[in-house]
Amino acid sequence: MTTVDPDFAESQAKEARKARLFSRINRADAWFQVLGLSWITPVLKAAAGDNPRAQMQEIWRLLGVPVLAIIAFLFAWGTLAPTVQTSLGAIPGPAQVWEQVEVLHADHLRERDKAEAFYERQEVRNAKLVADGKEDRVKWRTYTGKPTYYDQIWTSIQTVFFGFLIATAVAVPMGIAAGLSQTANAALNPLIQIFKPVSPLAWLPIVTMVVSAVYTTNDGWFTKSFLTSAITVTLCSLWPTLINTALGVSSIDKDLVNVSKVLKMSTWTKITKLVLPSALPLIFTGLRLSLGVGWMVLIAAEMLAQNPGLGKFVWDEFQNGSSSSLAKIMVAVFTIGIIGFLLDRMMYAIQSLFTFTNNR
Amino acid sequence: MKRALFAILASTALTAPAFAEMLDVEKDELTFGFIKLTDMAPLAIAYENGYFEDEGLFVTLEPQANWKVLLDRVIDGQLDGAHMLAGQPLAATIGYGTEAHIVTPFSMDLNGNGITVSNEIWEQMRPNIPSMDDGRPQHPISASALKPVVEAYADEGKPFNMGMVFPVSTHNYEIRYWLAAGGIEPGYYSPENVSGQIAADVLLSVTPPPQMPATMEAGTIYGYAVGEPWNQQAVFKGIGVPVITDYQMWKNNPEKVFGLTKEFTEENPQTTLALTKALIRAAIWLDENDNANRPEAVEILSRSEYVGADYDVIANSMTGFFEFEKGDKREIPDFNVFFRYNATYPFYSDAVWYLTQMRRWGQISEAKPDSWYDEVAKSVYKPEIYLEAARMLVDEGLADEADFPWDSDGYKAATPAEDIIDGIPYDGRQPNAYLESLPIGLKGDQRVVGNEVQG
């Protein structure tokens, strides 16, 4: 291969194209990492003709092993489950659990049909009232049926985010204060140490009582049960954010702090221009931990307080004690796990957006 | 799909009552609480069959964690009404436990409970129970068969624990009645000590109904008194044996009521009437044509949003059977009565019986005159609302005139001795005389002081 080679220009262009392609793949890889799809990279690379053997090894490590592990888990579960006899029958295997997924979906559809029938009846009734000249008695009401499984999931997600938002709104300012001032830190530290290990189940009765006493309207924006669950989530999930924010703020580069002094920045400017940008990665680490804790806590709170959501679904099924209850509870377990994983991934994605900027 | 629905609608529209008859309800969006028990059936049926909707009510039915939560939520207005233990409105009104004036225009059912013991206790009891020719135990089983077992536990210094669902529940009074009829002391309540275990041979404690089987399986309690399906559930799971049903203890005894706060009924009289109408229609449907609709009702109850237990478990008692030991299935056609025998009429005499039991075990610590029992019963039970609702249904052609006790003074004829396990007749007009006639329990001016009965 010399410059005399007639194909040189062409192969040069080819090489350049390939290099461009790979740099694109590498850029995309960062995103795949975030989305938990890192196995796509070696597949793309192999497709682009980059040392198939090494890539196959990567694919095996990133895709083959996890998939095999899941299959092995399902197999072990399927074989071991029937050997454990409970008073509700044997522990359900993967097949029975999948069956319940379908049952829950069918339930959801049935409930939707019932809702539709309700609205049709309402139309007929109201049309009749209008025809009889009784417009004043016409009423439009929403359907009052049981919440379906999807409704429960949606309720839980809404609750966890509401609680998480309150927690963030409380924890970030407090964390900044604790990070900036030794005094505030000394004041907050014992409280953090004492309240951090408290279980949601201990907060719940207190929160329930306080919410019932303070939030007396029965037709406000929120239902009492929603507030109770959300505030319990707040109380348990604000600590990781608080601690990490304080840590992030207190470990700002001293040079930057000196610059702020030289420029005689006001406190507000200092926080917005200096403190927050440099503390963001740690704050997001805190938020990610908080959301994880919040999700875990929420299920417990819903279970105990009988508030709508996945926790209540689990408790109701446990109380039902029917032959399909265990399988339904397992469906809920997987749902909770998968949603928890997705929430974590989402936070990780947001966090990595900020860390990229940080590393540039 | 839509067309099919319209076809169904058109066909039901013809049979539905004229909309013009609809009451002008003050509050049309209601939330009712219930506990996962077979006898919540009238609520589920009134909802599923559209009886609430026919009255212009949009009802949400919410299962509750336990009886205390349910009562508290009715009192603070989160629930507009609920499926309640008959003792709850009475106790709340006289201020035992949470104080609030709760009334009931509708009694939900008769019978429906049982007492179950664990397999281990059953084996120890069985030798003391006479057998029939086919080797099966002779019914009804008296608690005297359990007495030697309880004594053996006491000799070993082990407490004998049993569960019931709430301090003022029918089940508490039934298990106490049964134990006392067999010569076992179930314990007293006093103003200072509300455990109900003063001077007790058997220690009774509270467990929510759906958790009964699991708690017994865990060995925390050796038996329990509870409503269906949680006795049959123990048989299906193979963890216990029901020894007696309340039907065998006291034929057609009053069970649950539908409770509302007094404020609610005063502020929303039309709504109260409307919901009573819907519930009466549901009760009629549950019992009509000799229980023909029961299988359909069982299917509805077995859905996870209502009772959620398996169809077969609920079907047993609802279709007139009760399985004691595995395979020992006996016919008890009246195990669940929802409408026959004036089951839904709120009789004062039912209320008085509950009050006598509160007095008997010390929840009412002082002696009360007969007139007091009558007054309390009349402040809680509201047959006038019931009859008004029934009259409307009769006028609309949805109920039969002959099915209602129009002229009753609210007191049932005295229950004859042969209908009660220990042969002690009950006349609601003479509560104090009735208390005198019962074997164990407070009488006259007796009071519980410290750990003993005085007077």
Side-chain angles (χ1 to χ4, degrees):
Chain A
M1 182 81 63
T2 60
T3 43
V4 189
D5 189 342
D7 296 339
F8 175 72
E10 203 177 320
S11 62
Q12 267 262 292
K14 214 172 178 173
E15 283 297 317
R17 265 208 308 279
K18 206 164 174 177
R20 269 205 307 279
L21 183 61
F22 277 111
S23 73
R24 269 197 209 125
I25 290 177
N26 281 333
R27 263 210 306 278
D29 178 45
W31 282 105
F32 292 142
Q33 294 270 13
V34 167
L35 298 171
L37 301 170
S38 41
W39 54 270
I40 293 183
T41 314
V43 173
L44 289 176
K45 281 187 174 164
D50 177 35
N51 185 359
R53 202 146 161 209
Q55 296 309 333
M56 281 316 284
Q57 268 176 350
E58 279 289 284
I59 293 174
W60 167 245
R61 189 174 64 84
L62 293 171
L63 183 65
V65 174
V67 167
L68 263 185
I70 289 172
I71 290 170
F73 166 75
L74 289 176
F75 178 75
W77 175 24
T79 45
L80 292 175
T83 61
V84 183
Q85 283 293 341
T86 71
S87 55
L88 288 178
I91 300 259
Q96 288 94 322
V97 170
W98 183 250
E99 197 181 312
Q100 288 312 314
V101 172
E102 285 166 359
V103 166
L104 285 168
H105 183 70
D107 265 357
H108 170 81
L109 295 181
R110 193 181 63 178
E111 197 61 28
R112 284 284 170 275
D113 285 346
K114 274 168 81 174
E116 207 170 301
F118 167 86
Y119 289 119
E120 306 234 355
R121 281 201 301 277
Q122 183 161 266
E123 298 250 356
V124 172
R125 206 171 30 231
N126 285 332
K128 196 170 157 43
L129 284 171
V130 172
D132 295 349
K134 295 190 184 128
E135 275 87 351
D136 57 319
R137 299 208 39 188
V138 169
K139 281 183 275 200
W140 298 104
R141 291 288 179 254
T142 45
Y143 174 67
T144 56
K146 68 151 181 180
T148 66
Y149 191 59
Y150 301 133
D151 297 336
Q152 306 272 44
I153 293 175
W154 181 230
T155 310
S156 282
I157 290 177
Q158 279 176 307
T159 317
V160 82
F161 271 104
F162 187 72
F164 173 68
L165 284 179
I166 302 176
T168 309
V170 173
V172 171
M174 275 171 89
I176 291 173
L180 285 177
S181 128
Q182 292 290 344
T183 324
N185 193 20
L188 284 173
N189 200 26
L191 297 179
I192 296 174
Q193 300 303 339
I194 289 170
F195 289 131
K196 189 169 143 267
V198 176
S199 150
L201 307 183
W203 285 120
L204 197 65
I206 301 172
V207 173
T208 310
M209 287 295 153
V210 172
V211 167
S212 301
V214 176
Y215 192 77
T216 44
T217 55
N218 267 332
D219 42 15
W221 273 20
F222 305 113
T223 56
K224 278 182 190 173
S225 56
F226 176 81
L227 278 182
T228 312
S229 307
I231 292 170
T232 308
V233 168
T234 301
L235 283 171
C236 294
S237 68
L238 63 86
W239 312 109
T241 307
L242 182 53
I243 292 165
N244 276 291
T245 307
L247 186 67
V249 172
S250 61
S251 53
I252 298 174
D253 198 336
K254 285 287 163 287
D255 292 346
L256 288 173
V257 178
N258 291 334
V259 166
S260 77
K261 281 181 182 151
V262 169
L263 293 175
K264 294 211 171 77
M265 280 184 176
S266 68
T267 316
W268 180 244
T269 333
K270 189 166 123 188
I271 288 174
T272 50
K273 293 273 186 252
L274 195 103
V275 170
L276 275 180
S278 39
L280 264 185
L282 263 172
I283 292 179
F284 270 101
T285 310
L287 290 177
R288 190 177 156 195
L289 286 169
S290 278
L291 191 59
V293 169
W295 181 243
M296 209 158 76
V297 162
L298 174 71
I299 305 297
E302 283 171 348
M303 251 175 121
L304 192 69
Q306 297 286 298
N307 293 338
L310 277 171
K312 181 166 168 58
F313 172 85
V314 170
W315 191 245
D316 280 349
E317 279 306 330
F318 175 60
Q319 297 225 311
N320 286 349
S322 74
S323 47
S324 61
S325 285
L326 275 182
K328 279 186 178 151
I329 291 173
M330 285 198 182
V331 175
V333 166
F334 283 108
T335 311
I336 293 165
I338 290 167
I339 292 176
F341 166 73
L342 291 177
L343 289 177
D344 191 60
R345 276 287 144 187
M346 190 188 70
M347 287 306 289
Y348 179 61
I350 298 173
Q351 183 192 345
S352 49
L353 283 181
F354 286 95
T355 13
F356 289 156
T357 55
N358 195 45
N359 294 345
R360 265 183 219 141
Chain B
M1 182 78 220
K2 268 199 173 167
R3 193 168 300 170
L5 278 170
F6 260 118
I8 294 166
L9 285 172
S11 64
T12 52
L14 295 174
T15 55
F19 296 122
E21 311 266 5
M22 235 169 24
L23 289 158
D24 194 3
V25 294
E26 302 84 352
K27 185 174 181 186
D28 62 351
E29 289 186 297
L30 304 167
T31 308
F32 295 152
F34 68 91
I35 296 283
K36 288 179 175 279
L37 291 162
T38 305
D39 54 22
M40 62 75 66
L43 287 168
I45 299 304
Y47 178 88
E48 292 290 335
N49 288 7
Y51 301 147
F52 283 133
E53 244 178 89
D54 289 346
E55 301 295 338
L57 300 173
F58 302 91
V59 174
T60 306
L61 296 176
E62 256 186 29
Q64 305 297 309
N66 58 53
W67 290 113
K68 179 164 180 3
V69 169
L70 174 136
L71 182 64
D72 288 347
R73 294 187 73 190
V74 170
I75 291 170
D76 72 18
Q78 290 184 62
L79 296 173
D80 298 300
H83 160 230
M84 283 188 189
L85 297 157
Q88 283 185 302
L90 293 161
T93 302
I94 63 174
Y96 183 77
T98 322
E99 185 161 5
H101 198 152
I102 307 240
V103 299
T104 175
F106 179 85
S107 170
M108 291 186 75
D109 59 328
L110 302 177
N111 315 320
N113 301 327
I115 296 173
T116 296
V117 296
S118 69
N119 291 337
E120 191 189 351
I121 301 293
W122 174 248
E123 275 164 32
Q124 295 165 8
M125 272 176 81
R126 186 63 186 89
N128 314 325
I129 303 167
S131 296
M132 301 188 297
D133 296 341
D134 59 3
R136 294 187 307 169
Q138 201 172 348
H139 282 207
I141 295 168
S142 159
S144 52
L146 180 68
K147 200 172 171 158
V149 183
V150 175
E151 280 164 358
Y153 270 74
D155 290 343
E156 290 173 30
K158 284 196 284 191
F160 195 91
N161 300 315
M162 289 181 95
M164 46 83 184
V165 304
F166 201 64
V168 297
S169 65
T170 321
H171 320 79
N172 186 20
Y173 304 130
E174 280 172 352
I175 195 168
R176 285 166 180 272
Y177 197 101
W178 181 69
L179 290 170
I184 302 172
E185 286 273 2
Y188 293 97
Y189 294 82
S190 76
E192 301 77 40
N193 179 346
V194 293
S195 69
Q197 300 179 345
I198 298 169
D201 297 334
V202 169
L203 302 178
L204 295 171
S205 57
V206 172
T207 304
Q211 270 124 282
M212 285 289 187
T215 312
M216 186 167 78
E217 205 179 0
T220 314
I221 50 178
Y222 307 132
Y224 52 74
V226 75
E228 268 310 296
W230 308 111
N231 295 292
Q232 292 298 276
Q233 185 79 301
V235 180
F236 274 73
K237 287 177 156 195
I239 58 173
V241 178
V243 286
I244 189 164
T245 64
D246 60 349
Y247 179 79
Q248 299 166 310
M249 232 185 292
W250 176 14
K251 206 165 143 187
N252 294 332
N253 62 90
E255 179 52 33
K256 303 274 185 322
V257 297
F258 187 78
L260 306 137
T261 59
K262 188 158 187 272
E263 292 94 69
F264 181 92
T265 58
E266 283 168 350
E267 285 164 18
N268 310 293
Q270 300 291 311
T271 311
T272 310
L273 272 177
L275 68 91
T276 309
K277 278 171 72 182
L279 289 172
I280 295 173
R281 283 181 70 193
I284 293 173
W285 184 88
L286 277 161
D287 275 9
E288 72 189 3
N289 310 335
D290 204 11
N291 296 356
N293 297 324
R294 291 289 179 92
E296 197 181 330
V298 174
E299 188 281 316
I300 290 171
L301 289 179
S302 67
R303 294 179 195 168
S304 63
E305 64 261 39
Y306 299 124
V307 184
D310 285 352
Y311 180 94
D312 298 341
V313 175
I314 302 173
N316 251 1
S317 65
M318 281 286 273
T319 50
F321 289 96
F322 199 81
E323 194 166 3
F324 290 86
E325 283 170 285
K326 260 227 165 41
D328 181 5
K329 216 171 181 181
R330 305 193 189 195
E331 266 189 58
I332 304 186
D334 283 343
F335 186 88
N336 280 112
V337 174
F338 291 100
F339 189 70
R340 293 188 288 274
Y341 321 127
N342 300 322
T344 51
Y345 182 97
F347 283 102
Y348 299 139
S349 48
D350 296 348
V352 171
W353 186 79
Y354 282 101
L355 292 166
T356 60
Q357 298 308 297
M358 289 178 195
R359 170 68 192 129
R360 183 184 183 184
W361 304 117
Q363 291 172 332
I364 296 172
S365 55
E366 310 277 341
K368 303 279 184 187
D370 284 0
S371 60
W372 178 87
Y373 288 91
D374 180 62
E375 280 159 28
V376 174
K378 283 182 176 158
S379 73
V380 176
Y381 279 47
K382 300 290 173 194
E384 58 275 18
I385 299 177
Y386 175 88
L387 287 179
E388 199 178 336
R391 173 57 61 199
M392 290 177 180
L393 288 173
V394 172
D395 292 345
E396 289 166 29
L398 294 168
D400 189 350
E401 174 104 27
D403 286 338
F404 300 97
W406 302 103
D407 307 315
S408 168
D409 63 349
Y411 283 88
K412 274 185 200 165
T415 313
E418 61 269 19
D419 284 356
I420 298 184
I421 188 170
D422 54 359
I424 296 169
Y426 165 68
D427 181 0
R429 289 184 178 83
Q430 299 172 326
N432 279 303
Y434 173 65
L435 280 167
E436 290 293 338
S437 68
L438 292 166
I440 295 175
L442 301 180
K443 299 172 179 50
D445 288 331
Q446 286 182 329
R447 315 179 43 177
V448 180
V449 179
N451 283 332
E452 53 180 23
V453 176
Q454 290 185 351

